[in-house]
């Protein structure tokens, strides 16, 4: 596969770091955004370098903020050049039954998970189209497909991401740029570990494969979608959830 430059938002998190590692091992230059927790950068760099990934950049960015994304894109262009592969992976949860959900928890989740997709993609999509090749992969969730008690905000943001995917896929298809959504189920990451143990166990019992997914399993799917081989897949929403939701 030819060497490209990949940008992964939230690239130091549970799934994001696995995606960076997998894309790096495929020979791509990897750029990860992180929020304010610069403490994770050294650990992230060590992890990727131990896998033989040498071309790495970490850029601070609040993906929910337009100006921060403009500044991030300038930094990425000057350090790593044009971005060929964009993985919109950054996301948060602020779970709570709708009856108790504060306006602030709605806003934060929509801004971080959905507004971010506009803020970040806007910086790179035109350039991909002009160069005639690109891959945009939006990381949504099984819960954007089926809904989940306590996640009106999160499920709305994740379902919204796929509406964006389908529309942009239509706009960019003739330019060699594919746009897809990946909808992971429950993975063994910090985000899922925040769910109360008892609730988490109940959820695992409902997963046909009877276990949480590994971030590396989702990362492999993303690496495939990012490859030349996946040029005929666009506008898709690909489930990877151990059978938790089928349609
Ligand atoms: N199903 C049905 N009823 C439920 C319920 C459920 N899952 N959870 C709580 N309830 C009921 C309670 O029994 C309670 O009933 P009563 O009022 O009759 O007593 C009522 O709903 C309110 O319960 P709580 O006070 O506990 O509600 P809460 O607002 O504090 O929050 C919750 C509940 C913490 C959100 C809990 O429902 C929960 O943890 N749900 C799972 C959320 C989840 O799956 N998050 C995934 C995070 S990881 C992720 O999102 C990654 C990904 O993409 C998959």
């Amino acid at each position: 596969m030819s060497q490209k430059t990949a940008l992964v938002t939230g690239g130091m998190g549970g799934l994001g770091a696995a995606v960076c590692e997998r894309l790096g091992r495929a020979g791509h230059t990897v750029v990860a955004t992180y929020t304010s927790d610069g403490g994770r950068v050294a650990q992230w760099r060590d992890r990727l370098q131990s896998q033989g990934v040498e071309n790495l950049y970490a850029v601070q960015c609040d993906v929910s903020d337009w100006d921060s994304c403009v500044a991030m894109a300038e930094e990425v262009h000057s350090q790593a050049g044009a971005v060929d592969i964009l993985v919109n992976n950054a996301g948060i949860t602020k779970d709570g039954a709708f009856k108790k959900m504060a306006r602030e928890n709605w806003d934060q989740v929509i801004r971080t998970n959905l507004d971010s997709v506009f803020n970040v993609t806007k910086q790179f999509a035109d350039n991909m189209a002009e160069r005639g090749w690109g891959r945009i992969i939006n990381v949504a969730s099984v819960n954007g497909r089926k809904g989940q008690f306590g996640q009106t905000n999160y499920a709305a943001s994740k379902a919204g991401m796929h509406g964006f995917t389908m529309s942009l896929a239509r706009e960019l298809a003739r330019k060699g740029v594919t746009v897809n959504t990946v909808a992971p189920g429950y993975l063994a990451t910090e985000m899922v570990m925040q769910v109360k143990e008892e609730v988490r166990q109940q959820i695992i019992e409902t997963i046909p494969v009877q276990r949480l997914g590994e971030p590396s399993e989702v990362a492999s799917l993303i690496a495939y979608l990012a490859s030349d081989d996946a040029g005929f897949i666009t506008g898709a929403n690909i489930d990877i959830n151990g059978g938790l939701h089928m349609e």
Side-chain angles (χ1 to χ4, degrees):
M1 191 197 300
S2 54
Q3 202 172 348
K4 311 276 191 205
T5 295
L7 172 69
V8 182
T9 65
M12 315 226 164
L15 176 57
V19 172
C20 289
E21 184 182 320
R22 186 67 184 72
L23 292 173
R25 283 190 2 234
H28 302 308
T29 295
V30 175
V31 187
T33 74
Y34 62 99
T35 47
S36 49
D37 185 8
R40 288 204 283 186
V41 177
Q43 198 187 351
W44 173 82
R45 203 176 284 282
D46 287 349
R47 172 177 171 175
L48 268 71
Q49 283 174 343
S50 74
Q51 295 295 312
V53 183
E54 290 301 333
N55 297 323
L56 302 172
Y57 301 90
V59 183
Q60 192 168 352
C61 178
D62 173 359
V63 293
S64 70
D65 180 76
W66 170 259
D67 292 339
S68 179
C69 292
V70 171
M72 174 271 288
E74 276 172 20
E75 196 176 337
V76 171
H77 282 134
S78 73
Q79 288 192 18
V83 168
D84 308 289
I85 299 163
L86 168 62
V87 184
N88 283 311
N89 165 74
I92 58 168
T93 54
K94 295 272 176 196
D95 293 350
F98 185 65
K99 200 160 72 171
K100 295 193 211 156
M101 185 172 289
R103 174 69 199 261
E104 193 190 337
N105 288 350
W106 172 268
D107 286 345
Q108 276 185 27
V109 167
I110 298 295
R111 286 193 189 126
T112 306
N113 298 3
L114 185 57
D115 288 358
S116 61
V117 175
F118 175 83
N119 293 343
V120 177
T121 307
K122 192 79 180 145
Q123 312 303 326
F124 304 103
D126 287 353
N127 193 254
M128 288 180 190
E130 278 157 23
R131 287 180 300 114
W133 197 96
R135 298 283 184 264
I136 299 169
I137 298 149
N138 295 322
V139 179
S141 167
V142 65
N143 292 340
R145 308 270 278 160
K146 70 168 191 52
Q148 170 65 329
F149 193 104
Q151 288 202 306
T152 48
N153 51 2
Y154 184 83
S157 71
K158 295 299 183 177
M161 283 173 96
H162 188 57
F164 175 95
T165 290
M166 292 188 290
S167 302
L168 192 62
R170 290 179 190 278
E171 293 186 22
L172 297 183
R174 281 170 300 166
K175 306 285 184 185
V177 180
T178 66
V179 188
N180 289 291
T181 301
V182 166
Y186 286 77
L187 307 180
T189 59
E190 218 174 280
M191 184 184 263
V192 170
M193 294 309 155
Q194 280 171 14
V195 177
K196 262 193 283 177
E197 164 78 23
E198 172 199 332
V199 176
R200 197 169 62 242
Q201 284 313 323
Q202 281 167 12
I203 291 169
I204 293 172
E205 279 164 26
T206 66
I207 303 173
V209 303
Q210 294 281 286
R211 66 170 174 87
L212 297 174
E214 291 300 326
S216 60
E217 293 173 307
V218 178
S220 293
L221 172 61
I222 290 174
Y224 172 67
L225 289 173
S227 72
D228 282 321
D229 285 347
F232 202 55
I233 304 178
T234 198
N237 192 354
I238 303 183
D239 289 316
I240 175 161
N241 61 35
L244 178 59
H245 175 69
M246 304 177 190
E247 60 175 42

